[in-house]
Amino acid sequence: MVTGHQSERVKAAFAQADINWVYQAEQLGTAHALMQALPFLKDENRVLVLYGDVPLISLHTLQKLIASTPKEAIGILTKTIPDPAVMVALSVTI
């Protein structure tokens, strides 16, 4: 897992989990975070890329994405939101 801002708090929240941590000193975007993790990945590893600001994705949804994506392919999850203003208001109030 790539962390940067408040890295120690994130690690503490998952202290019991078996996670390989990679520290991203400068937060230069998602592609940069992936570049930081690449040296620690093996060819047979499957990688799940999530933005840090999408906490409302359920474990079930991620499991379905992984299960439906062939090992040698890229899976992309999208969602059409009928009224994005409602989602923005929701994310601010949570």
Side-chain angles (χ1 to χ4, degrees):
M1 180 179 291
V2 179
T3 61
H5 179 68
Q6 298 188 2
S7 180
E8 295 306 317
R9 289 184 69 192
V10 175
K11 284 182 178 181
F14 294 93
Q16 303 303 316
D18 183 21
I19 296 174
N20 295 324
W21 297 99
V22 177
Y23 181 68
Q24 182 185 20
E26 293 184 85
Q27 286 74 63
L28 301 176
T30 304
H32 182 258
L34 287 170
M35 288 173 45
Q36 302 301 297
L38 277 176
F40 302 96
L41 298 175
K42 298 176 184 166
D43 288 343
E44 64 272 9
N45 288 144
R46 294 186 80 183
V47 178
L48 187 59
V49 179
L50 301 174
Y51 301 104
D53 59 354
V54 288
L56 300 177
I57 295 177
S58 70
L59 176 60
H60 177 72
T61 298
L62 295 175
Q63 289 171 332
K64 285 176 59 176
L65 173 64
I66 292 167
S68 65
T69 303
K71 288 190 183 264
E72 300 296 326
I74 296 173
I76 299 175
L77 180 65
T78 64
K79 171 71 176 153
T80 301
I81 301 170
D83 185 356
V86 171
M87 293 304 293
V88 170
L90 177 65
S91 66
V92 170
T93 60
I94 291 178

